[in-house]
Amino acid sequence: MEVQISSSTKSFAGKQLICNFESKELGSKTSFSVYLPPTLDESKEKFPVVFWLSGLTCTEKNFIEKSGFQRFAAQHKLIVVGPDTSPKEIKELPYQGFKGLAPPDIISAWSHLCTYTPPPTQLPGGLNIEGEDDSWDFGSGAGFYVDATADRWKKYRIMGGHGALICALKNPGLYKTVSAFAPIANPINCPWGQKAFSGYFGENNKEEWKNWDATELVKNYNGPPIEILVDQGKSDQFLEQGQLLPDNFVRACVAAKVPIVYRLQDGYDHSYYFIATFIADHFAHHAKQLKA
Amino acid sequence: MEVQISSSTKSFAGKQLICNFESKELGSKTSFSVYLPPTLDESKEKFPVVFWLSGLTCTEKNFIEKSGFQRFAAQHKLIVVGPDTSPKEIKELPYQGFKGLAPPDIISAWSHLCTYTPPPTQLPGGLNIEGEDDSWDFGSGAGFYVDATADRWKKYRIMGGHGALICALKNPGLYKTVSAFAPIANPINCPWGQKAFSGYFGENNKEEWKNWDATELVKNYNGPPIEILVDQGKSDQFLEQGQLLPDNFVRACVAAKVPIVYRLQDGYDHSYYFIATFIADHFAHHAKQLKA
């Protein structure tokens, strides 16, 4: 598979790349971002990788333009990969193509509706799937990180897990550390999740739903110890609407003795201003876990 | 004049506001951003203000979403005001409306073509001036910070100076510190400036042009000492095209004995990745000058 670097921009002495490739599985072009920290070229050590999974309505650009993460990726010497998070191919990401890129060591993600997004015309899409653009919170603009079983969406079964939490919980030992901003923590019990899972799995297949729900999965987690960091804005409109349900997840973590640091941040909403404020803490968390 | 706060978002423990008002002068609605650092509400001291003037194609949003400045504004306790930089009203900015807002103490700006911008449909405009949207680098999307004398643009004669450098050089003592990213430093000698000044002042009025050119102005600067900080990406395509001409400005500063720190940053371009990388240094510069 051929990967093209469509742009390379110097950032905090490293490089912010945007790459794209033709996905055979999807029959469509898809993009991802890669941040390469400084000294990577000269270094003989392998650098860990953070995968950042954006949320509803995001492309691969929101995070790299608005979070300010590069400052901390450079500081902690972390490679950061951010796929376009509409429901597309991730398994094909050829990370071995970049010198020094280690297997996935970290995953950091959040289920995030970007308050400051490009208009719908700029969203990914163009996959020519019936209904892909019917709705802003399902289809081409909305990745739920599930392996869809419904016929129409079957091609999208590649992204592992429902965001970062699901990736870590379903693949014990694969990721060394995980964190999330304002995740949809219990999708089977919220309107967004129910809509998405009805579409991706079928309305009556509710046992399958549980295999893609962080709160359900953590109940049975028995992999290596992981410490989960979750930041949640207290003034997040989607928290208020009952779309996120972090309390359910925290309760399940406590019952399952999975350590979680849950920080309810007073006055913050669901925007990138919230992400940018606390992104330094998430990178410090990952750097610390990697050294542990 | 009535100012409406259209949004208020918590950011680094402070508040990022977007405000708008009906400008009588322009007969149009216009916007500006204000960042209020934490502790402003409880504090009895006055906080200095940084004015950030964006460049070609920017609105009031680019800087507040992409530069990551809030981290440093919070740290140094600086209020930051960012007008929509299309050619609109600034004199009316009612900064006395915000508690603790001091008169302009700082100005930090750059003449910047945003590589990652909203599409033209999102640009400001709608001023119903003949020709305002004919060109991406002149008119509604492009503020040159001049007091236009040409009839068609006369209503735009409010913004003082050609970007930050001009504001500081034309108003000795009004601003305590100034810095710029990749400024169009000698507009009368570059294609962008010549196009703009021909439009705003008339092609034959070249003596007036000099009154709005930083390189010309610094030759005669005799105000209080100021130390100018300029960062310039060495891989900036507009530098290569001869649009920015910082060397002319530096030479003029040296001849006029105006201290300038000019940093040609290897490998950086004209994007917000460049701004974000060095924004911390600019805020540190201003904080230091304010304490001097």
Side-chain angles (χ1 to χ4, degrees), chain A residues 43-103:
Chain A
S43 178
K44 279 174 188 160
E45 49 175 329
K46 287 200 169 191
F47 283 50
V49 181
V50 174
F51 286 93
W52 175 270
L53 308 181
S54 287
L56 289 171
T57 79
C58 286
T59 71
E60 78 286 358
K61 293 240 178 105
N62 306 65
F63 178 59
I64 65 173
E65 292 183 357
K66 295 183 176 178
S67 72
F69 82 87
Q70 291 93 345
R71 181 181 300 275
F72 308 104
Q75 181 185 324
H76 296 298
K77 296 188 177 181
L78 297 170
I79 292 164
V80 181
V81 175
D84 176 356
T85 59
S86 50
K88 287 180 183 165
E89 179 72 52
I90 186 173
K91 203 172 56 182
E92 290 184 32
L93 279 188
Y95 52 76
Q96 62 274 26
F98 296 99
K99 188 185 166 229
L101 224 64

Side-chain angles (χ1 to χ4, degrees), chain A residues 51 53 107-111 144-145 160-172 175 177-187 211-215 217-218 221 226-231 244-246 249-250 253 258-262 282 286:
Chain A
F51 286 93
L53 308 181
I107 190 149
S108 166
W110 85 131
S111 294
F144 262 81
Y145 303 103
H162 178 64
L165 298 175
I166 303 294
C167 284
L169 293 171
K170 287 179 81 78
N171 298 283
Y175 302 102
T177 164
V178 62
S179 75
F181 286 90
I184 301 176
N186 187 195
N211 294 329
W212 302 96
D213 181 294
T215 298
L217 285 166
V218 79
Y221 180 79
I226 44 167
E227 188 176 303
I228 301 170
L229 170 62
V230 173
D231 271 316
L244 307 179
L245 307 175
F249 181 65
V250 172
C253 287
V258 171
I260 179 161
V261 175
Y262 173 66
H282 286 243
H286 297 313

Side-chain angles (χ1 to χ4, degrees), chain A residues 98-271:
Chain A
F98 296 99
K99 188 185 166 229
L101 224 64
D105 282 333
I106 312 179
I107 190 149
S108 166
W110 85 131
S111 294
H112 180 74
L113 184 130
C114 308
T115 311
Y116 304 93
T117 47
T121 50
Q122 293 190 327
L123 289 178
L127 298 171
N128 299 318
I129 292 183
E130 189 194 337
E132 66 167 346
D133 294 326
D134 290 356
S135 182
W136 68 271
D137 58 357
F138 179 73
S140 60
F144 262 81
Y145 303 103
V146 299
D147 286 355
T149 56
D151 277 349
R152 192 194 296 174
W153 297 98
K154 248 186 183 162
K155 289 207 286 185
Y156 295 103
R157 68 198 158 150
I158 302 97
M159 295 187 107
H162 178 64
L165 298 175
I166 303 294
C167 284
L169 293 171
K170 287 179 81 78
N171 298 283
L174 183 59
Y175 302 102
K176 289 187 183 161
T177 164
V178 62
S179 75
F181 286 90
I184 301 176
N186 187 195
I188 67 173
N189 288 317
C190 78
W192 276 345
Q194 288 161 349
K195 178 176 179 180
F197 285 14
S198 295
Y200 290 128
F201 303 118
E203 209 164 325
N204 299 318
N205 202 358
K206 297 217 168 142
E207 277 312 301
E208 181 66 9
W209 289 25
K210 290 185 184 173
N211 294 329
W212 302 96
D213 181 294
T215 298
E216 292 296 322
L217 285 166
V218 79
K219 292 176 183 171
N220 302 309
Y221 180 79
N222 63 356
I226 44 167
E227 188 176 303
I228 301 170
L229 170 62
V230 173
D231 271 316
Q232 173 64 56
K234 201 173 173 182
S235 297
D236 182 335
Q237 56 173 314
F238 305 116
L239 179 69
E240 292 158 10
Q241 291 170 11
Q243 296 282 20
L244 307 179
L245 307 175
D247 293 351
N248 295 356
F249 181 65
V250 172
R251 234 180 343 254
C253 287
V254 171
K257 297 192 169 41
V258 171
I260 179 161
V261 175
Y262 173 66
R263 310 192 301 183
L264 190 59
Q265 303 284 11
D266 192 48
Y268 288 91
D269 68 4
H270 202 82
S271 72

